[in-house]
Amino acid sequence: MTESERKYNLVVFGASGVTGKYVIEELAAFHNEIRWCVAGRNPEKLRNALREASGFVGKDLSDIAIIEADVSNEESLTIMCRSAKVVLNCVGPYRFSGEKIVKHCVKNKTHCVDVSGEPQFLETVQLKYFHEAKEQGVYIVGSCGFDSIPCDLGVEILRKKFDGDMNSVETFLSAKQPPGSTVNFGTWQSAIYGLAHADELKPLRKALKEKVFSKPFPKPEYKLKSRSMLFNSKEAEGWCIPFIGSDRSVILRTQMYNFQFKNERPVQVQTYMKPHSFFTALATLVMAAIFMLMTKFALGRDLLEKFPEIFSLGVFSRTPPKKELASSGSFEVRFRAEGWSEKLSDPTDKHTELPNKIVTAVLTGPDPAYVSTAVCVVNSALAILSEKDKLPLSGGVFTPAAAFSNTSLIDKLESRGIKFRISSSYITKSASS
């Protein structure tokens, strides 16, 4: 079935979930511009989700079609994939069912975007389906939510604006959430099982370098050193700790893609987060250590799933977050890039002097957990629909920056409140010495 024969432009799979409801509200803005529908295993919950969204956005969404689709029913997934040009997969944790959706999308020549922050899932999909998706002319783009569009696209924009050779970048994430706000339990589950199976990553990455990114990666002449577990950052203006989300792994795969297929100098990256205070940072480190230890044992994982509020200091909860709280949150990512004012002709050429240029930038946006995630994934899907001629190769499995570098996605995000700006750019003293 060709794309022109599809009944719908987009289908939201898992639309009755917490994230899916925000995606419905974001799509409501395009109600009369594109044909879209919702899918999931419980039609009544989907109807309720549409009614809720109608009341919130002030538009009647009762005419939005519903497709009954369940990951345990292969035929239903085939029907869903054949009904639309792009699947927006909002069903996590992706470890459990995400690959099955990708498999059906590739088989039925349907593009797919998701909001996964799970490195094992994302890298498994790229390893197993990159070449098949390319042959089928299908674009599979993971991590199109808050994990990891702000950081991944932010680094890509910064690289383009650097005006020289960018060697490394550090990112510093901070979020402002009103008291009482929480994050969905599904995200907590993803973290539990991701850390529990962290040993899967090493062989996965080895295979990726052999089968997808086979071009020998150049060793940086000036290595970016990671900072200590707790440090006071001048760039972030506060105490920071390492960010253990998927951002760094996603950005590194973008760099591998850029070097392999675009012959561009890869950029080193380290990601950090800025808690509210020194004591919050310290408490977060302690709880993170306990969390990581508990994920290694079945009993520990069981306790983490039963009592998310206790082990996350109230950040995660089984109770869905209140919309009025989520809607008032915001985030900021600060970037500090270092490199050279001179741009060498080949990405493997070595600079003979120390990095002499620094560029800083800031990316800001609304609530990261849901509002920004919905904005990012919906506009990613729309970019595939409207700017397919600007997407790389003829298809494949990509990170967001690799897929959307040449599209107008950043402009679409800016119009929805996610804004990027260069805050400073200067040559260091070493350039003149």
Side-chain angles (χ1 to χ4, degrees):
M1 180 183 288
T2 64
E3 284 193 13
S4 61
E5 296 174 309
R6 310 283 171 125
K7 188 173 182 180
Y8 305 103
N9 298 112
L10 307 173
V11 55
V12 183
F13 182 52
S16 62
V18 177
T19 300
K21 291 178 181 178
Y22 282 87
V23 170
I24 289 176
E25 291 166 13
E26 184 67 20
L27 272 173
F30 305 94
H31 187 43
N32 297 319
E33 299 175 31
I34 60 173
R35 304 182 312 278
W36 61 281
C37 63
V38 296
R41 63 185 179 184
N42 189 320
E44 185 57 35
K45 286 186 177 181
L46 292 169
R47 278 189 283 271
N48 287 338
L50 289 169
R51 279 195 290 268
E52 286 180 25
S54 295
F56 189 75
V57 300
K59 290 186 177 183
D60 182 9
L61 302 178
S62 60
D63 61 335
I64 297 298
I66 292 173
I67 297 175
E68 188 171 349
D70 192 320
V71 293
S72 64
N73 185 325
E74 303 281 338
E75 184 180 358
S76 73
L77 295 182
T78 297
I79 292 171
M80 177 184 72
C81 291
R82 288 181 176 177
S83 70
K85 298 176 183 178
V86 184
V87 170
L88 284 76
N89 184 8
C90 299
V91 179
Y94 291 85
R95 161 178 289 276
F96 302 132
S97 61
E99 185 180 343
K100 183 175 284 190
I101 303 302
V102 169
K103 181 179 179 180
H104 276 78
C105 282
V106 172
K107 180 181 178 181
N108 292 287
K109 297 186 177 182
T110 306
H111 311 298
C112 182
V113 294
D114 66 48
V115 294
S116 172
E118 304 166 41
Q120 292 99 325
F121 163 74
L122 295 165
E123 295 178 32
T124 294
V125 165
Q126 190 164 44
L127 173 64
K128 294 178 69 172
Y129 298 95
F130 182 87
H131 296 296
E132 186 180 354
K134 185 173 182 294
E135 290 171 3
Q136 292 282 71
V138 170
Y139 289 95
I140 308 295
V141 190
S143 55
C144 288
F146 181 72
D147 285 357
S148 292
I149 277 190
C151 269
D152 194 31
L153 269 184
V155 171
E156 181 68 4
I157 299 166
L158 195 53
R159 184 187 63 79
K160 288 183 175 182
K161 294 178 178 290
F162 193 82
D163 193 22
D165 276 336
M166 195 161 86
N167 178 60
S168 62
V169 61
E170 294 174 299
T171 71
F172 304 86
L173 165 67
S174 60
K176 293 181 180 179
Q177 301 290 85
S181 59
T182 58
V183 181
N184 182 28
F185 176 70
T187 305
W188 179 250
Q189 271 191 311
S190 297
I192 291 171
Y193 288 97
L195 284 172
H197 298 277
D199 57 348
E200 296 173 351
L201 285 170
K202 188 174 180 180
L204 260 176
R205 289 167 179 172
K206 182 176 183 293
L208 262 176
K209 290 178 181 179
E210 292 172 350
K211 298 183 179 181
V212 179
F213 305 116
S214 57
K215 188 176 176 180
F217 214 58
K219 289 185 177 181
E221 60 265 53
Y222 299 100
K223 190 173 181 180
L224 173 63
K225 295 180 180 180
S226 58
R227 306 206 193 196
S228 59
M229 294 296 290
L230 178 61
F231 62 95
N232 198 308
S233 166
K234 178 178 64 176
E235 295 80 11
E237 299 177 349
W239 290 93
C240 294
I241 60 177
F243 178 63
I244 60 172
S246 61
D247 286 353
R248 184 171 184 269
S249 66
V250 170
I251 297 168
L252 289 177
R253 285 189 295 121
T254 296
Q255 303 313 307
M256 288 192 284
Y257 169 83
N258 285 345
F259 181 68
Q260 174 84 23
F261 294 99
K262 298 166 70 175
N263 199 38
E264 292 176 348
R265 181 180 295 271
V267 176
Q268 303 171 78
V269 64
Q270 293 289 350
T271 57
Y272 303 100
M273 63 180 292
K274 174 192 169 185
H276 298 303
S277 67
F278 170 81
F279 294 106
T280 306
L282 192 60
T284 302
L285 283 177
V286 172
M287 294 307 294
I290 294 172
F291 178 87
M292 293 176 72
L293 179 63
M294 293 180 70
T295 62
K296 304 304 177 185
F297 307 96
L299 176 60
R301 293 192 293 272
D302 186 52
L303 289 171
L304 288 170
E305 289 195 81
K306 285 182 178 178
F307 308 105
E309 293 89 351
I310 294 174
F311 292 104
S312 70
L313 300 178
V315 174
F316 293 90
S317 175
R318 285 181 174 273
T319 304
K322 296 178 180 178
K323 182 174 290 294
E324 61 270 20
L325 294 178
S327 299
S328 61
S330 63
F331 77 91
E332 175 185 88
V333 183
R334 298 190 186 190
F335 301 82
R336 183 187 186 276
E338 193 170 294
W340 297 270
S341 55
E342 179 188 8
K343 188 174 183 64
L344 302 182
S345 59
D346 191 272
T348 60
D349 289 344
K350 304 290 185 181
H351 285 269
T352 57
E353 59 180 10
L354 292 171
N356 60 21
K357 184 176 182 178
I358 293 173
V359 177
T360 61
V362 179
L363 188 149
T364 57
D367 163 68
Y370 303 107
V371 177
S372 287
T373 285
V375 168
C376 287
V377 73
V378 167
N379 283 282
S380 296
L382 294 176
I384 293 176
L385 283 174
S386 62
E387 300 182 78
K388 192 176 175 183
D389 59 321
K390 296 178 182 178
L391 301 181
L393 307 180
S394 58
V397 181
F398 301 94
T399 58
F404 303 121
S405 176
N406 296 324
T407 71
S408 63
L409 177 58
I410 189 61
D411 297 325
K412 296 179 189 296
L413 299 182
E414 289 251 358
S415 70
R416 297 292 291 120
I418 298 176
K419 300 184 182 298
F420 180 93
R421 65 178 176 85
I422 300 292
S423 51
S424 69
S425 177
Y426 56 93
I427 306 297
T428 63
K429 293 181 181 179
S430 62
S432 58
S433 60

